[in-house]
Amino acid sequence: MPSYTAPVKDMQFLLHDVLKVSTRDIPGYSDLDDGFTVAILEESGKIASEVLAPLNPVGDQQGCRLENGVVYTPDGFKAAFDQVREGGWTGLDCDPEYGGQGMPYVLATAVGEMFTGANMAFTMYQGLTHGAYSAIHAHGTDAQKAKWLPKMVSCDWTGTMNLTEPHCGTDLGLMRTKAEPQGDGTYKITGQKIFISAGEHDMSENIVHLVLAKIPGGPEGIKGVSLFIVPKFLVDDDGNIGARNGVAVGNIEEKMGIHGNATCVMNYDGAEGYLLGEEHKGMRAMFTMMNEARLGVGMQGLAVAEAAYQNAVDYAKDRLQGRAITGAENPDGPADPLIVHPDIRRSLMDQKSFAEGGRAFTLWGATMIDEAVRKDDHAAEGMISLLTPVLKGFLTDEGFDMTVLAQQVYGGHGYIEEHGMSQFARDARIAMIYEGANGVQALDLVGRKLAADGGKPAMAFFEMVKSFCKENGGDEEIATGFIEPLKTASKHLQDAAMFFMQNGMKNPNHALAGSYDFMHLFGHVCLGLMWSKMAIAAKAKLAEGTGDAEFYQSKIATGRYYMARRLPATSMHLARITSGADTVMALDAANF
């Protein structure tokens, strides 16, 4: 059975030596000293490794089952959910006014990675609840927030987001679910939603569905969509649970992965709902959930890759196969361990450099969310909006690739279920699809985010990298191994953006055909920036002569690997982008 160890040391290094959270001018960050954060991370790490990780294969093997309209979660899930709730982990960064602990989002993100790496399917129940909480917190009335949020913060009541219908996914303007006004402030919701994660289960008293629907007579298409709070059980003004609402699970989907999470078909038959936000402005409210969810899904790609990598390393150190080409390294044994072989090293270095770089990228993004929310900083909001599709698309694409590499280390044992590597690959693969398939993330990045706010966030990113390189180019070791490769990669990114500007207006296909490569090019530049920052921080710690020298030396060596072996992919992506759309669009549809 696979194991999981929370990467507390690496998180501490990122929070305090790289991001320097306790010195940041963001409300709440002054409380994040290293003693406080390590206490939180070590405790959550114990839950991840001792409680959640052992349930991961259980969830995969048992899945969820539907009996008489009730979905039952795998053995042990409910007890573990109660333990997580009682520990206050579900409300770590939620508003204290509603029972949350009010900690910064960056700390909640670190804890979320641990829980997800240990058990992705399980952690989705509370993750989706947090997204629904955020939407109600941002767009609800005071009465709605008082009624729904305390129980959602504690996860006594969980939450969902209901967007997709059988005939529409990305194009939500085609939805048919109706919301009939009743004249008393309520609406009757009728329609069917599919792919609803955590749509029905046995771990909470109530489930608060956030449902997109159209009010009759409203504008056509996406402009006519509104968002509604639709609970599984009705709740009176005193917060007491009453009668069952007109919402029921029609089926639970059979999926390739995340078997422990109930992915449901939800049927709404005149269910009572309450408008959240303004009429016909549902997408604005829903995007509060979707943006948070996309960041969370990007983190899933990283977290599952980390878990797979940990197990691949253990296997590579233990499994004896062949001899090192330069001479036996285990002369007393029948063979050397796998890890002596250069190609195994390449695979593990790909995985390690991605996981550690992706973790830095994710936590950096979380600090921008804190800055945007806690300081109402427009520039930070613009930057994280620009980077959201990169975080989601790049980290899940690469995260899946890394689980496949980890699986490959095992050879034939990689596809034998008892080793657990198949589950990591299957779970990670789903993250590339849901919360907006990665092709859609790339289109969003190139079609909307690059030009948003007159292109200011994109230009700010280019300038930030340029300034960073200028400020840190004086150290020859850092300049050669990190700054110069980062400069080259950043130039590739700017050249790609310029190609879109010069050619996209004449023929939009030139931009859209290169959008996926641009998302990956952007992702590599972000990880190159993160590795450069980590190398500088690690070298500074070595110069101090305090701490774990081996850890810092390994950090620099891993960063050098990324810059030399992974970052040059930006050249390939630029070449694809500048080849334009002609070869992509050359065939008539009939010739495929």
Side-chain angles (χ1 to χ4, degrees):
M1 185 175 75
S3 62
Y4 177 78
T5 301
V8 174
K9 189 171 188 176
D10 198 45
M11 290 178 173
Q12 283 287 98
F13 168 71
L14 291 171
L15 290 173
H16 299 290
D17 298 319
V18 179
L19 298 173
K20 302 183 185 300
V21 291
S22 61
T23 64
R24 294 282 299 275
D25 181 26
I26 300 174
Y29 271 42
S30 61
D31 297 329
L32 300 181
D33 61 69
D34 56 359
F36 177 76
T37 59
V38 76
I40 297 292
L41 296 179
E42 286 182 346
E43 187 60 32
S44 57
K46 288 179 185 176
I47 293 171
S49 61
E50 297 173 9
V51 178
L52 303 186
L55 292 175
N56 201 35
V58 175
D60 188 54
Q61 293 156 15
Q62 291 187 6
C64 298
R65 69 184 194 277
L66 174 62
E67 295 180 2
N68 300 318
V70 178
V71 171
Y72 295 93
T73 50
D75 292 347
F77 268 45
K78 191 175 190 305
F81 197 69
D82 288 343
Q83 186 172 342
V84 169
R85 285 193 310 100
E86 289 162 6
W89 297 105
T90 60
L92 199 65
D93 65 321
C94 295
D95 191 339
E97 185 175 349
Y98 305 105
Q101 299 183 51
M103 295 184 192
Y105 182 71
V106 69
L107 191 57
T109 299
V111 171
E113 187 207 321
M114 293 178 180
F115 287 178
T116 299
N119 195 326
M120 175 175 163
F122 174 91
T123 306
M124 288 172 64
Y125 290 97
Q126 67 198 64
L128 288 155
T129 304
H130 192 286
Y133 154 87
S134 295
I136 296 173
H137 190 271
H139 301 283
T141 64
D142 289 343
Q144 286 175 330
K145 289 187 278 191
K147 183 173 186 175
W148 303 108
L149 293 188
K151 293 286 190 178
M152 295 177 73
V153 167
S154 66
C155 271
D156 290 325
W157 301 348
T158 56
T160 71
M161 53 192 295
N162 285 234
L163 291 77
T164 307
E165 299 183 7
H167 58 283
C168 74
T170 301
D171 191 355
L172 291 171
L174 298 175
M175 74 175 56
R176 297 172 185 156
T177 300
K178 293 286 187 285
E180 299 275 357
Q182 300 302 294
D184 61 355
T186 67
Y187 294 76
K188 292 296 183 186
I189 312 297
T190 302
Q192 186 180 76
K193 299 289 184 177
I194 63 171
F195 307 153
I196 309 306
S197 299
E200 171 64 36
H201 57 85
D202 60 348
M203 299 196 300
S204 63
E205 299 171 351
N206 203 357
I207 302 175
V208 182
H209 302 288
L210 295 194
V211 183
L212 284 179
K214 289 185 174 180
I215 299 171
E220 292 295 318
I222 198 68
K223 294 181 179 179
V225 172
S226 302
L227 185 61
F228 299 88
I229 300 171
V230 188
K232 173 181 174 180
F233 292 101
L234 299 176
V235 177
D236 67 22
D237 291 338
D238 295 322
N240 300 308
I241 290 178
R244 178 70 186 252
N245 204 358
V247 53
V249 58
N251 189 26
I252 51 176
E253 303 288 0
E254 296 288 336
K255 311 185 296 294
M256 70 181 293
I258 54 171
H259 296 152
N261 195 272
T263 304
C264 299
V265 174
M266 302 301 299
N267 296 319
Y268 293 86
D269 185 13
E272 186 171 303
Y274 320 101
L275 182 67
L276 178 61
E278 301 176 44
E279 285 190 0
H280 317 311
K281 303 290 186 184
M283 289 308 298
R284 184 170 66 181
M286 183 57 84
F287 266 115
T288 299
M289 289 184 70
M290 290 175 66
N291 285 336
E292 179 176 314
R294 286 170 176 172
L295 290 165
V297 171
M299 180 264 286
Q300 288 177 341
L302 149 70
V304 178
E306 166 70 27
Y309 162 71
Q310 289 184 12
N311 288 274
V313 168
D314 289 344
Y315 188 82
K317 289 179 178 179
D318 292 339
R319 176 75 166 175
L320 302 181
Q321 291 284 285
R323 288 294 188 188
I325 195 68
T326 53
E329 295 195 17
N330 179 34
D332 296 331
D336 289 332
L338 281 172
I339 201 164
V340 306
H341 302 300
D343 192 60
I344 295 292
R345 291 291 190 100
R346 171 201 57 80
S347 173
L348 294 174
M349 287 298 283
D350 277 358
Q351 296 168 54
K352 178 178 173 64
S353 64
F354 166 75
E356 294 178 14
R359 178 174 302 116
F361 186 21
T362 303
L363 293 177
W364 178 48
T367 65
M368 290 183 222
I369 292 176
D370 279 329
E371 198 163 14
V373 172
R374 291 172 174 252
K375 292 182 66 176
D376 196 22
D377 189 303
H378 180 73
E381 183 178 4
M383 184 67 77
I384 192 59
S385 180
L386 171 69
L387 295 178
T388 292
V390 183
L391 282 156
K392 195 281 181 185
F394 180 73
L395 292 185
T396 57
D397 275 356
E398 291 285 306
F400 169 70
D401 286 349
M402 296 307 135
T403 65
V404 173
L405 287 179
Q407 186 181 33
Q408 192 79 8
V409 169
Y410 279 70
H413 292 288
Y415 56 80
I416 302 301
E417 292 294 348
E418 70 176 275
H419 292 284
M421 304 310 286
S422 170
Q423 182 186 358
F424 290 135
R426 288 183 283 104
D427 286 356
R429 182 63 183 88
I430 294 172
M432 298 166 65
I433 300 172
Y434 63 13
E435 297 308 334
N438 285 354
V440 175
Q441 302 301 320
L443 295 179
D444 178 47
L445 173 63
V446 171
R448 294 178 56 219
K449 299 299 175 62
L450 270 183
D453 197 14
K456 288 180 183 178
M459 295 304 296
F461 180 87
F462 297 145
E463 184 58 36
M464 175 184 61
V465 175
K466 179 180 177 181
S467 298
F468 173 82
C469 290
K470 187 175 181 180
E471 291 166 7
N472 294 283
D475 183 315
E476 185 175 353
E477 180 187 9
I478 295 295
T480 302
F482 294 89
I483 300 302
E484 291 306 318
L486 179 59
K487 281 182 181 178
T488 300
S490 181
K491 185 178 186 304
H492 291 161
L493 184 65
Q494 293 178 66
D495 288 347
M498 184 60 68
F499 176 84
F500 292 153
M501 289 178 61
Q502 292 173 344
N503 296 276
M505 294 297 291
K506 302 172 191 173
N507 181 357
N509 283 338
H510 285 313
L512 300 185
S515 60
Y516 211 94
D517 280 285
F518 187 80
M519 180 178 72
H520 275 257
L521 201 169
F522 209 148
H524 278 298
V525 171
C526 287
L527 260 64
L529 176 63
M530 293 298 100
W531 271 116
S532 299
K533 288 177 177 287
M534 285 189 280
I536 291 168
K539 187 172 182 181
K541 295 299 290 185
L542 285 170
E544 289 177 8
T546 59
D548 185 344
E550 189 174 6
F551 173 85
Y552 300 124
Q553 290 163 354
S554 296
K555 187 66 68 174
I556 294 171
T558 305
R560 284 201 191 103
Y561 177 90
Y562 192 89
M563 305 305 279
R565 299 282 302 226
R566 302 286 291 154
L567 192 59
T570 59
S571 178
M572 174 193 70
H573 290 303
L574 177 62
R576 290 175 176 175
I577 290 166
T578 54
S579 72
D582 292 345
T583 56
V584 175
M585 306 301 292
L587 291 182
D588 290 333
N591 293 327
F592 278 89

